[in-house]
Amino acid sequence: RHVLTDPVAEIALHKLKETDFDQWRSRRSPALSVSTIRRVTNDLKASLNAAAVKNRSRLPAEVALIIKNGLSAGEAAPPVARDQAALPDADVRRIIGAARAVDIDQGWDGDLLRMVLVLSATGARFSQVARMAVGDIQIQQNRLMVPTSRKGRGTKNTTHIGIRVGTDVIDQLRPAIAGKQRGEALLQRWRHVQTKATEIRPPQWVRDARGPWTAASELARPWLDIITRAGLPREVVPYSLRHSSIVRQLRAGLPVRLVAALHDTSTIMIERHYASAIVDLLDELSASAIVPLMSDQPATNVMALRAGQL
């Protein structure tokens, strides 16, 4: 929509100039968000680079440089402060409580509550949680083994990340593992099929079989019911639970490297997107190291002993 309908799409690859990209950029709708611009630009750049490699023998040598410079100028944007999307612990508990209520009202048999609870407890992405198996619960250690993300280029040397959770989370997951094989999906939901219409009854959706969650979009409709019942704005999305987990651990004093490892991301991403939480932590740590420097001021870390304590 933003490329193929634009005049830039009519220019032959060997005739492209950096000014053509500048003109394309100036014709874009001002209503486009930064993330949309970045995604469209990256897709266009990848497509042109692939075409340049395929037709390398028939293209000028500088075409790769033209693509790189033409689609990188002016696209940089300041990192998004994701810590602002983090929720207080009280709001996370309200979401879980609302998930329990919606689960009961809509007949989810605990499936919806367990999904929201695991997302909240681990801070993992939906795609990771959906791939968890029954064997990924370590009850004695109160630990969930969360599969690593499929993002990246396959350089990871581990398949799971161990995350400690509370006994309340483990207790809620016990019904999901009872009588199941270790390789079965931990979090499942009912699948429905539509019955055929008859003369006396219209078509209906009925339960067919249970199976694993397959896409984050399956959570969209019940999530809206959850946040409405919890009294939270529509801007609160399931990914807010991940932001909340990261910020909670940072403010608890966990090292940035450990927080990044537990959430299957890099320290660079943590430092870039959760700066204010890190600043708050460093501020508290530095404040605890302050001592009076004036000789007439008593030290705040000196405690008077009562008689008989020596």
Side-chain angles (χ1 to χ4, degrees):
R1 180 175 23 168
H2 305 297
V3 177
L4 298 181
T5 59
D6 189 271
V8 73
E10 303 299 326
I11 303 175
L13 187 58
H14 68 278
K15 293 183 178 180
L16 273 175
K17 304 298 181 184
E18 293 180 23
T19 54
D20 296 324
F21 294 117
D22 292 336
Q23 294 171 6
W24 168 71
R25 188 179 293 108
S26 66
R27 290 190 293 265
R28 291 187 314 215
S29 170
L32 291 179
S33 66
V34 173
S35 59
T36 299
I37 293 174
R38 185 181 298 114
R39 183 173 61 252
V40 171
T41 302
N42 288 340
D43 288 349
L44 176 58
K45 185 185 300 183
S47 300
L48 293 177
N49 283 333
V53 171
K54 183 177 180 180
N55 301 279
R56 182 171 54 240
S57 62
R58 298 187 293 142
L59 293 172
E62 67 273 12
V63 66
L65 188 60
I66 291 174
I67 295 172
K68 177 181 178 181
N69 293 340
L71 290 176
S72 62
E75 297 301 338
V80 179
R82 296 177 180 173
D83 45 8
Q84 303 303 316
L87 302 170
D89 290 343
D91 284 352
V92 174
R93 294 189 184 98
R94 288 166 61 190
I95 288 175
I96 295 172
R100 182 197 298 272
V102 172
D103 186 298
I104 295 173
D105 290 349
Q106 299 182 5
W108 283 82
D109 291 349
D111 294 334
L112 179 61
L113 172 60
R114 285 189 284 268
M115 171 57 75
V116 174
L117 186 61
V118 173
L119 288 173
S120 303
T122 63
R125 306 171 183 86
F126 178 93
S127 60
Q128 296 174 260
V129 170
R131 289 187 285 117
M132 291 182 65
V134 170
D136 290 331
I137 295 186
Q138 298 179 351
I139 295 180
Q140 299 300 323
Q141 294 82 11
N142 283 352
R143 184 187 296 131
L144 298 182
M145 300 300 294
V146 180
T148 53
S149 171
R150 288 170 173 165
K151 298 174 65 176
R153 300 183 180 274
T155 58
K156 298 178 181 179
N157 53 12
T158 183
T159 60
H160 289 73
I161 300 170
I163 299 178
R164 291 290 298 270
V165 297
T167 55
D168 54 341
V169 177
I170 296 295
D171 290 341
Q172 287 294 329
L173 292 176
R174 288 181 186 273
I177 64 176
K180 301 286 184 60
Q181 299 295 321
R182 289 181 56 85
E184 292 187 60
L186 171 64
L187 300 174
Q188 300 188 21
R189 53 162 298 176
W190 281 102
R191 300 293 169 188
H192 295 75
V193 295
Q194 192 175 37
T195 61
K196 293 182 178 180
T198 65
E199 294 181 357
I200 61 174
R201 188 173 60 184
Q204 294 179 326
W205 288 97
V206 298
R207 287 180 173 181
D208 178 42
R210 291 177 59 77
W213 294 73
T214 58
S217 58
E218 295 177 319
L219 190 58
R221 181 174 297 177
W223 179 262
L224 182 58
D225 295 332
I226 289 171
I227 60 172
T228 300
R229 188 179 289 254
L232 297 173
R234 286 173 173 259
E235 289 75 19
V236 176
V237 296
Y239 213 78
S240 298
L241 300 175
R242 176 173 171 83
H243 300 320
S244 305
S245 176
I246 292 174
V247 171
R248 182 187 307 118
Q249 292 186 3
L250 289 173
R251 290 176 175 167
L254 271 65
V256 173
R257 184 180 295 275
L258 176 58
V259 175
L262 290 175
H263 291 85
D264 196 15
T265 188
S266 66
T267 56
I268 295 176
M269 292 297 293
I270 295 291
E271 292 169 349
R272 178 182 300 169
H273 296 293
Y274 302 93
S276 67
I278 297 175
V279 170
D280 290 342
L281 170 62
L282 295 179
D283 189 58
E284 292 178 7
L285 291 175
S286 60
S288 65
I290 295 176
V291 297
L293 299 178
M294 300 294 293
S295 58
D296 57 347
Q297 296 292 324
T300 57
N301 59 349
V302 175
M303 181 176 64
L305 297 178
R306 295 192 301 273
Q309 284 185 296
L310 294 176

